[in-house]
Amino acid sequence: MIRNPDQTRVKILSKSGILFNTRGYKATSISDITEATGYTKGAIYRHFGNKGNLEKETLSYLSSRMFEILRGQIKGASTAGDKLRAIIRYFESYIAKPEVKGGCPLMNAAIEADDANPTLRREAVKILDVLHDSIVHILKNGVRFKQIKKETDMDYFATIVIASLEGAIMMSKLRGNNRDIKRVIRHLEREISHIET
């Protein structure tokens, strides 16, 4: 039977994603991945070269799944304020129904992406920058279409939104309930209404 290399890669990324996101990048071995995928160590290395590349590509794969769904929700909103609300509601839903088992892949990778794993750290920063830049882009368009106050400090606002959401996800995950994320959502919704025209 001939295997499709693209399907093989997606299966490895998908199964690795669950393991890395629930057990951690350091704690997940190649043996764990071979067991989960049914592929040999050689097959995994043939596709990814080494564990570091697999970790990086898995994080990219997980975040692309997250951004694809998030983009759809943003696109469905008509104003800049509603697009920002779509982002915060998406993160709220991540507590109850995460796209990937184990929670937010960005936060999980960021926790492990210290100086000992610069490749994973660079990938996590890239994802963080995409999220930050997306929020700034929404704000800029909002100013252009007179939906957002022009004096809004866009970089500041994007940082506050991301830090608040990721912190609330961590707190809600630790406590095993969604009270913290709900409080942060209420706060961010008020902040959004303050910058709308």
Side-chain angles (χ1 to χ4, degrees), residues 149-166:
K149 293 174 183 170
K150 64 180 177 188
E151 65 272 14
T152 301
D153 184 335
M154 296 177 199
D155 283 321
Y156 171 85
F157 194 85
T159 298
I160 294 302
V161 168
I162 296 166
S164 298
L165 290 171
E166 291 292 351

Side-chain angles (χ1 to χ4, degrees), residues 2-167:
I2 298 171
R3 289 203 170 124
N4 179 325
D6 291 335
Q7 287 177 342
T8 302
R9 281 179 63 81
V10 169
K11 181 178 178 183
I12 294 168
L13 290 169
S14 177
K15 298 285 188 184
S16 298
I18 293 167
L19 292 171
F20 288 144
N21 217 39
T22 54
R23 295 183 185 179
Y25 287 82
K26 289 176 189 162
T28 301
S29 67
I30 290 296
S31 298
D32 295 327
I33 294 165
T34 60
E35 189 177 318
T37 61
Y39 296 125
T40 64
K41 185 176 178 179
I44 291 167
Y45 283 148
R46 204 169 28 256
H47 285 278
F48 297 98
N50 57 50
K51 187 179 178 222
N53 284 339
L54 176 59
E55 290 173 349
K56 175 180 164 261
E57 289 197 42
T58 301
L59 179 55
S60 177
Y61 169 78
L62 294 176
S63 63
S64 69
R65 282 182 56 195
M66 185 176 89
F67 284 135
E68 186 181 334
I69 293 160
L70 187 51
R71 267 193 299 275
Q73 293 184 7
I74 292 168
K75 197 174 180 181
S78 54
T79 68
D82 287 343
K83 289 178 188 298
L84 293 170
R85 288 181 189 91
I87 291 171
I88 62 177
R89 288 198 191 103
Y90 169 80
F91 278 89
E92 179 184 20
S93 72
Y94 220 98
I95 299 295
K97 293 184 290 185
E99 306 303 327
V100 181
K101 192 175 176 185
C104 179
L106 174 59
M107 184 176 68
N108 291 341
I111 289 165
E112 285 196 62
D114 56 16
D115 293 334
N117 195 337
T119 305
L120 188 63
R121 182 181 185 148
R122 278 191 300 275
E123 190 63 28
V125 168
K126 202 161 75 176
I127 294 159
L128 177 61
D129 288 344
V130 168
L131 184 55
H132 180 275
D133 293 347
S134 299
I135 294 170
V136 169
H137 179 73
I138 291 168
L139 291 166
K140 282 181 178 173
N141 279 340
V143 169
R144 197 170 97 213
F145 293 112
K146 299 184 177 14
Q147 298 166 348
I148 299 291
K149 293 174 183 170
K150 64 180 177 188
E151 65 272 14
T152 301
D153 184 335
M154 296 177 199
D155 283 321
Y156 171 85
F157 194 85
T159 298
I160 294 302
V161 168
I162 296 166
S164 298
L165 290 171
E166 291 292 351

Side-chain angles (χ1 to χ4, degrees), residues 186-197:
R186 281 198 308 272
H187 168 72
L188 291 175
E189 284 178 339
R190 283 194 300 270
E191 292 301 308
I192 292 166
S193 67
H194 291 325
I195 64 167
E196 287 178 301
T197 55

